[in-house]
């Protein structure tokens, strides 16, 4: 078929969108957050454009130069119908949107925008599905790549895709700003998904492993990992505040970025320590709260909120990590009763709702929780976050 016979209505759009009709498996309470302005800093972006032919992209995926998808990103792969439409578009020379890569510290590239397009192409070149529902090249329906004629195979392999590389010399914050602006017409990668792409390494692997833990899933009231990696961010959040809380300055996103980056080459011994303290702590939390963990309690109606509250998560995890398991098990009922009472405190309610990332709010709710624990005979050293004397 000639190119001028193709109508606009026939041409598909290939934004990273259609897989995102899924709902998340867990609900997180929204938080009122402060605006942090870093605009005065010297921030530079370094980019380089490439026109990669598809054969070259496949080779780079095979040799590890291009990191196409990890286990979490594979959960959001296009179905075979949409993937087939993309292959058809390559064959009839429909322009493919630009892909964006981030250069990692080892010189490899991680796909930031274009994950689904490139994954669909790579899967097809490896005979992972048969074409289906094609309208223009309907003669190719039910055919794998190896079953195409030599001309069509060469046509696909020789197509080029414009790719923009965000180089590693770019300022870390402006890299996130750029990634955040991508896919403005579809569901963008959130901050944790970007971290997962940029800071692959030992700590990131541990966090994804722990997100599969059955007890942690129970506390989240979910049988599955979270498709948008909110569960992974919760684990990272605990590790950062447990091991590095003195360096917290009120910018949570940047704080978590830095901690995950610092753990890329974490030693096996330190990884083990991280795993052990997390598993110990969530086991103790389960002993007291079970499926009501990290949720608000309504003392008037004697009910629990169904949504997770990250501010509650922080204080419960941090103090439970500092208390022996034996003590928590012996006083589990008393701890639960006192936890319910704290929701009669209007100040505590404000601390977990309004600007909870601010150090003064964080420290206030930590101190209130410590006082509550002390009232039932649990002695624990005060946990101090960053510059706890920060003023409101």
């Amino acid at each position: 078929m000639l190119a001028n016979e193709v109508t606009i209505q026939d041409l598909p759009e290939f934004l990273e969108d259609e897989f995102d009709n899924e709902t998340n498996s867990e609900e997180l309470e929204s938080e009122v957050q402060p605006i942090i302005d870093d605009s005065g800093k010297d921030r530079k972006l370094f980019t380089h454009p490439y026109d990669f032919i598809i054969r070259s992209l496949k080779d780079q995926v095979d040799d590890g130069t291009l990191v196409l998808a990890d286990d979490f990103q594979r959960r959001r792969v296009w179905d075979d119908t949409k993937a087939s439409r993309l292959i058809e578009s390559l064959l009839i020379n429909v322009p493919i949107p630009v892909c964006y890569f981030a250069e990692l510290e080892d010189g490899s590239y991680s796909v930031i925008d274009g994950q689904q397009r490139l994954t669909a192409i790579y899967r097809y070149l490896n005979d992972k599905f048969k074409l289906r529902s094609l309208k223009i090249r309907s003669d190719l329906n039910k055919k794998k790549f190896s079953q195409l004629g030599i001309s069509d195979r060469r046509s696909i392999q020789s197509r080029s895709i414009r790719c923009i590389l965000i180089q590693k010399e770019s300022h870390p914050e402006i890299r996130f700003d750029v990634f955040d602006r991508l896919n403005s017409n579809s569901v963008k990668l959130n901050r944790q998904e970007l971290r997962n792409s940029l800071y692959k390494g030992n700590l990131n692997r541990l966090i994804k492993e722990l997100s599969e833990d059955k007890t942690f899933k129970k506390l989240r009231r979910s049988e599955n990992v979270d498709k948008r990696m909110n569960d992974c961010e919760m684990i990272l959040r605990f590790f950062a505040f447990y091991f590095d809380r003195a360096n917290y300055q009120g910018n949570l996103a940047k704080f978590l970025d830095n901690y995950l980056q610092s753990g890329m080459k974490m030693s096996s011994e330190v990884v083990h320590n991280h795993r052990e303290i997390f598993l110990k702590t969530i086991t103790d939390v389960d002993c007291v709260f079970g499926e009501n963990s990290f949720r608000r309690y309504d003392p008037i109606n004697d009910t629990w909120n169904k949504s997770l509250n990250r501010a509650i998560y922080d204080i419960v995890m941090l103090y439970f990590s500092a208390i022996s398991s034996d003590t928590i098990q012996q006083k589990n009922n008393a701890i639960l009763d006192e936890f319910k009472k704290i929701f009669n405190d209007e100040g505590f309610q404000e601390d977990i709702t309004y600007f909870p990332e601010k150090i003064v709010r964080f420290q206030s709710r930590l101190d209130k929780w410590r006082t509550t624990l002390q009232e039932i005979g649990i002695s624990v050293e005060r946990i101090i976050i960053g510059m706890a004397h920060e003023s409101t």
Side-chain angles (χ1 to χ4, degrees), residues 158 173 192 255 262 314 368:
S158 63
E173 281 301 300
Q192 186 61 32
F255 179 63
S262 72
D314 292 334
K368 287 182 173 70

Side-chain angles (χ1 to χ4, degrees), residues 87-151:
I87 301 303
E88 182 180 48
S89 294
L90 294 173
L91 287 165
I92 63 176
N93 290 317
V94 173
I96 305 300
V98 173
C99 295
Y100 288 82
F101 301 162
E103 185 178 19
L104 305 181
E105 290 301 315
D106 63 0
S108 62
Y109 306 152
S110 180
V111 180
I112 298 301
D113 181 34
Q115 185 73 245
Q116 307 306 317
R117 282 165 266 157
L118 295 178
T119 299
I121 294 169
Y122 185 75
R123 289 178 60 233
Y124 188 63
L125 294 179
N126 284 285
D127 276 352
K128 296 300 183 181
F129 65 93
K130 296 179 181 179
L131 296 176
R132 56 188 296 181
S133 303
L134 301 188
K135 297 178 180 178
I136 299 170
R137 290 298 308 271
S138 57
D139 57 303
L140 300 182
N141 282 326
K142 299 183 180 181
K143 289 188 177 181
K144 295 182 178 181
F145 178 74
S146 63
Q147 296 170 325
L148 299 180
I150 184 65
S151 177

Side-chain angles (χ1 to χ4, degrees), residues 5 167 290:
E5 295 181 62
Q167 295 174 295

Side-chain angles (χ1 to χ4, degrees), residues 155-362:
S155 178
I156 293 172
Q157 291 177 316
S158 63
R159 276 294 305 271
S160 65
I161 297 178
R162 171 54 63 100
C163 302
I164 304 297
L165 177 66
I166 311 297
Q167 295 174 295
K168 60 185 177 182
E169 291 81 8
S170 301
H171 188 283
E173 281 301 300
I174 200 170
R175 288 209 302 177
F176 275 108
D177 289 345
V178 170
F179 302 151
D180 190 52
R181 294 166 193 254
L182 298 176
N183 283 337
S184 59
N185 294 320
S186 62
V187 177
K188 299 177 289 187
L189 296 179
N190 63 35
R191 191 80 175 201
Q192 186 61 32
E193 290 169 320
L194 287 172
R195 294 185 189 108
N196 178 58
S197 295
L198 291 173
Y199 303 136
K200 298 177 184 294
N202 295 340
L203 179 57
N204 196 45
R205 279 191 292 272
L206 172 65
I207 288 171
K208 290 188 287 186
E209 170 199 319
L210 293 174
S211 71
E212 300 274 3
D213 182 80
K214 291 182 179 179
T215 301
F216 188 53
K217 289 179 182 177
K218 174 187 174 183
L219 303 187
R220 291 175 43 241
R221 298 185 186 175
S222 176
E223 297 180 354
N224 304 304
V225 296
D226 186 82
K227 291 182 173 63
R228 301 306 306 273
M229 303 190 78
N230 289 308
D231 49 358
C232 289
E233 184 171 79
M234 290 177 68
I235 299 170
L236 172 61
R237 188 170 174 138
F238 170 66
F239 286 152
F241 283 119
Y242 181 86
F243 289 101
D244 197 38
R245 54 180 171 262
N247 289 318
Y248 183 59
Q249 297 180 3
N251 186 333
L252 179 62
K254 188 174 181 180
F255 179 63
L256 298 184
D257 296 343
N258 292 340
Y259 194 75
L260 188 58
Q261 183 178 23
S262 72
M264 292 174 67
K265 297 181 180 179
M266 185 175 283
S267 70
S268 57
E269 180 180 356
V270 177
V271 167
H272 174 77
N273 292 339
H274 278 63
R275 179 187 292 106
E276 291 302 304
I277 190 60
F278 179 79
L279 294 177
K280 176 267 180 198
T281 304
I282 60 171
T283 299
D284 291 344
V285 171
D286 182 35
C287 174
V288 176
F289 299 100
E291 293 186 351
N292 293 321
S293 299
F294 318 134
R295 290 164 173 85
R296 292 177 189 260
Y297 174 73
D298 180 353
I300 296 177
N301 297 306
D302 189 24
T303 57
W304 295 87
N305 195 310
K306 66 179 181 179
S307 300
L308 288 168
N309 181 289
R310 287 162 288 195
I312 294 173
Y313 168 83
D314 292 334
I315 63 170
V316 171
M317 290 288 288
L318 287 174
Y319 269 114
F320 271 37
S321 68
I323 302 170
S324 73
S325 297
D326 287 344
T327 298
I328 291 173
Q329 291 170 13
Q330 291 168 8
K331 294 181 177 288
N332 61 342
N333 291 327
I335 293 172
L336 181 60
D337 290 341
E338 292 302 313
F339 180 81
K340 290 179 178 180
K341 292 178 184 178
I342 202 173
F343 285 90
N344 291 309
D345 183 335
E346 291 184 5
F348 180 79
Q349 294 275 20
E350 292 179 357
D351 288 341
I352 64 174
T353 304
Y354 302 106
F355 308 113
E357 293 183 9
K358 288 179 67 66
I359 294 175
V360 66
R361 291 286 195 194
F362 203 144

